[in-house]
Each structure stands twice: as structure tokens, then as C-alpha cells.
Amino acid sequence: MRMGWAWKVVDRKRLNNQWEGQQPFPFRQENKRSMSRLYPLSPRTIGILGGMGSAATVDLFDRIVRATPARKDQEHLPVLIVNDPLIPDRTQAILHGGPDPLPRMQAGIKKLVAMGADFVAIPCNTAHYFLPRLAPAAPIRLLDMIRETVQAVVASLPGVERVGVMATSGMLAVGLYQQALVKAGLIPVEPPADDIERMMDAIYGAEGIKSAGVTAYAVETLGTVGGELLARGAQALILGCTEIPLALQEGDLPAPLVASSQALAEAAVREAMRD
């Protein structure tokens, strides 16, 4: 006896007609009208430029869902994702003259605009080095994860003065978090060179998060680097690479952890729901 779902062929013409002339998937129309214009009562549509890496992109989407004050499906936010894993590595481009990621990032934003996104979140901290070149040409707003993360530190940890930064070697080299923290009146605490190398191995190495997922090695190594930053005087830690919050959670270390991906998710929800 056959059990389970009874599948049947859907008559697409009948399905389309039942919507009284409306297309069930209007964002597929050739003119690519934005969903916000088609549905003026709905919130703004979030665009995610992902693939840097893919697990971090999934994590951001999950955090957006969990940060949304929804009690039913219809109260959640519309989200469009372009996940392009072929965007060249940002640290390689910054430090070693690798392929420029900017053209593929620009193409991804163009796709999101065409699909109907009203603004874009980019779940890659190091990619924000290219934001000054991306934002002026973009017809919609690009959220700034570095600014949102530092603002989250200021708002949620008023007694903290010294903030450790865990990030890629490229991100630490260009100093985006260090500059933003100083501007906010805080003191950045950076890991030494050998800890940066260990942190990069926990992200990119054979047993790292990008290669093998969240391994015991990655969790232990990142926890050790975070502990060393606390020993150097940090009172809180910014998890400034979106792979790091996949391995380190609040409570893993004896200090507050501020995940950049969480700050970006909350900023995206605010932007989508603002009047």
C-alpha cells in the first residue's frame, strides 16, 4: 500500500487564473518591478549578496528570520539572496594582489536590484573594504556591517572600553574595525601575528570552517585566540568574520561576544520595517 503524500500535476493556467489576473510570481515579470511597489503594504525587501562564504550567508538569513517579530508566516520579511561563491577571495585581493572581487560583487548587486531588493546586506566583513567603491554606483542602500557592529557594541555594552577584534588578516590589515572603534571612543585590541595566522587557519585551513565546516579544531583554535585577546586586556570581542560566529557562541568565553552577522541581521530587520 502506497503511503505518504498524494502528488498531482498542477494546471498552471488554472493556477494563474484563480488570482484574478495577478501573476503568482510577479517578480519574474520582464520589467522586474520591485515587490515593494507591487505590494505597497508589505515591508521593504531585503537583498543578501552572499557566497562569501555560503554557510555565513545561510547564517545571516537564519538570524534575520529569528530577529523578525513575526507570529505567523505572513509577518516575516521578504528576502532575496544572490549566493555567488565565485566571487574572488577578498583577503587574497587585498594582501596578495589576487583577482578583484569588485566586478562580481557589482553584478550580484545588479541582480538583486533587478529582482526587487530595496537594500542590500553583505555577510562578509572583509568585503566591506570595497564598500566605498560599491556604494556610489548602487541605486539602493548597502548596509555597513562594520558600522552596525560597532554601534551594537556602544549600545549594548556601555561599560566596555577595550574591544578585541577577531577577523581575517585582510580585515585586520586595512583596519576598518580599528578605525570605527577609535571613532566611537573605544580602544581596539588586535591579536598578534601568530594568532592571526592561527585564526586564518581555523577559517581557511584544511580543518577550517570554509573547508570542513565547524570542526572541533576550529572551535578550539578560535576560542584560544579569543582568550588571548581577553588576556591582552579586551573586555569584549567583535567576531569580525562571519565564519567565526558559526564556531563561537555567547558564553563560550568569559566576556561578551558581539557577532557582526547578528548586528547586520538586526540592522536589516530595522531597515525593512522602518516607516
Side-chain angles (χ1 to χ4, degrees):
M1 178 177 172
R2 185 174 180 182
M3 303 293 290
W5 291 97
W7 298 96
K8 63 180 180 179
V9 176
V10 175
D11 184 336
R12 288 186 177 273
K13 283 188 177 181
R14 180 180 60 79
L15 184 64
N16 287 347
N17 289 340
Q18 77 180 19
W19 291 87
E20 299 179 356
Q22 294 188 39
Q23 292 290 330
F25 304 104
F27 54 85
R28 290 183 178 175
Q29 294 178 4
E30 286 300 317
N31 61 8
K32 308 288 193 201
R33 292 174 295 172
S34 81
M35 293 173 72
S36 59
R37 291 199 296 273
L38 285 166
Y39 304 108
L41 297 180
S42 69
R44 293 174 180 83
T45 297
I46 300 170
I48 298 177
L49 177 59
M52 303 174 278
S54 295
T57 303
V58 172
D59 183 51
L60 177 64
F61 184 27
D62 179 59
R63 289 173 185 270
I64 288 171
V65 171
R66 288 188 282 121
T68 303
R71 294 163 296 177
K72 56 184 179 180
D73 288 345
Q74 292 75 22
E75 292 179 353
H76 277 281
L77 301 171
V79 179
L80 300 169
I81 300 174
V82 170
N83 192 69
D84 183 4
L86 297 181
I87 296 173
D89 188 81
R90 285 63 60 200
T91 291
Q92 286 293 322
I94 293 169
L95 296 182
H96 308 296
D100 187 356
L102 191 67
R104 289 198 76 96
M105 292 172 67
Q106 290 171 327
I109 291 170
K110 185 176 180 180
K111 287 180 183 178
L112 287 167
V113 171
M115 292 164 67
D118 293 302
F119 63 94
V120 175
I122 305 173
C124 173
N125 286 272
T126 314
H128 282 65
Y129 171 75
F130 301 93
L131 203 63
R133 295 162 63 192
L134 277 172
I140 57 177
R141 184 184 175 195
L142 309 184
L143 298 183
D144 186 336
M145 180 158 54
I146 283 73
R147 182 176 63 189
E148 297 294 346
T149 302
V150 172
Q151 286 179 350
V153 172
V154 173
S156 63
L157 302 171
V160 165
E161 296 179 352
R162 297 174 61 84
V163 182
V165 181
M166 298 182 68
T168 65
S169 55
M171 188 66 177
L172 289 165
V174 297
L176 294 187
Y177 271 117
Q178 297 93 313
Q179 295 164 21
L181 287 167
V182 169
K183 187 175 180 180
L186 300 171
I187 301 169
V189 181
E190 300 179 42
D194 57 342
D195 276 357
I196 295 174
E197 186 175 341
R198 295 163 68 190
M199 191 159 44
M200 288 294 286
D201 193 55
I203 297 169
Y204 283 91
E207 295 183 64
I209 298 167
K210 285 183 180 288
S211 301
V214 180
T215 62
Y217 167 77
V219 173
E220 181 181 355
T221 301
L222 292 170
T224 299
V225 172
E228 290 294 332
L229 282 168
L230 298 180
R232 293 168 69 87
Q235 298 166 286
L237 300 178
I238 285 176
L239 309 184
C241 168
T242 47
E243 272 74 32
I244 297 177
L246 300 177
L248 291 185
Q249 310 294 325
E250 189 67 44
D252 287 348
L253 291 167
L257 306 181
V258 181
S260 55
S261 44
Q262 184 64 29
L264 182 61
E266 293 176 5
V269 171
R270 288 195 303 269
E271 180 68 13
M273 299 183 69
R274 71 177 174 85
D275 295 330

